[in-house]
Amino acid sequence: MTDDVATARRIRLRPATEGDREFLVRLYGSVRAEELDRVAWPPGQRDAFVRMQFDLQDRQYRQHNPHGTFDVVEVEERPAGRLYVDRRATDIRIVDIALLPEYCGRGIGTHLVREVLDEAAASGRTASIHVEVHNPAATLYERLGFAAVAEVGVYRRMEWRS
């Protein structure tokens, strides 16, 4: 069995529910940990800030991507991350992809993005993602064939075309 097949068998996407909120807040906090660690937070304030920022981001994602899918990534039946995708007429937008640190570097993100690219190719659409300029994941997207097409503030819009 190839590594790709083994990885695919361990991964499952399912729609996020209200019951996933605590996991998704924890995931958001883990993604922002490096920048949040730079601040000396009074007791409880960091957690409150992470919850507030998660709520704002979640509301914004859902408002601007009303037809999007908002999935929890499970690996071996345990929540490991999230994949939010908005399938538009000519573009499949990866709104957000994030994994808990212990799941990074194991081919999971690559597998998930390749599935989106396969769907885009089969339907004749582009795939796109906005990546923070200093996000090291940009190298993954470049390796998978994405190219930077625009910079807006701290974000770089990257597109993939078949």
Side-chain angles (χ1 to χ4, degrees):
M1 178 178 343
T2 68
D3 287 344
D4 288 343
V5 172
T7 299
R9 287 187 176 164
R10 297 184 352 246
I11 300 170
R12 179 175 83 102
L13 295 176
R14 64 166 177 77
T17 67
E18 186 56 35
D20 294 308
R21 185 176 192 286
E22 288 306 310
F23 164 73
L24 292 169
V25 169
R26 182 168 56 94
L27 174 64
Y28 179 86
S30 76
V31 170
R32 303 315 269 190
E34 185 177 326
E35 91 187 83
L36 295 172
D37 287 348
R38 296 181 196 148
V39 176
W41 299 91
Q45 192 173 28
R46 179 177 174 151
D47 184 54
F49 179 80
V50 166
R51 288 176 184 283
M52 178 188 68
Q53 291 296 299
F54 169 79
D55 288 340
L56 289 169
Q57 182 189 66
D58 189 62
R59 192 168 30 254
Q60 191 264 349
Y61 281 168
R62 291 175 187 277
Q63 178 183 350
H64 292 286
N65 303 283
H67 304 293
T69 57
F70 299 86
D71 292 321
V72 169
V73 177
E74 289 186 340
V75 176
E76 297 171 346
E77 300 181 16
R78 285 185 292 247
R82 68 182 185 186
L83 176 64
Y84 297 171
V85 177
D86 191 9
R87 290 162 177 86
R88 301 168 182 193
T90 61
D91 178 59
I92 300 179
R93 169 80 43 88
I94 299 172
V95 176
D96 193 271
I97 182 171
L99 295 168
L100 289 172
E102 58 265 33
Y103 291 97
C104 293
R106 294 167 58 181
I108 297 164
T110 299
H111 171 78
L112 294 168
V113 173
R114 280 188 176 142
E115 284 194 336
V116 171
L117 299 181
D118 289 348
E119 180 183 347
S123 63
R125 292 180 277 183
T126 61
S128 65
I129 188 167
H130 284 87
V131 182
E132 287 184 357
V133 173
H134 300 293
N135 185 336
T139 58
L140 164 68
Y141 307 128
E142 289 169 351
R143 184 169 41 88
L144 293 174
F146 283 83
V149 295
E151 287 197 25
V152 181
V154 298
Y155 292 97
R156 178 177 297 133
R157 177 179 163 88
M158 300 183 79
E159 287 185 356
W160 175 93
R161 297 177 188 278
S162 61

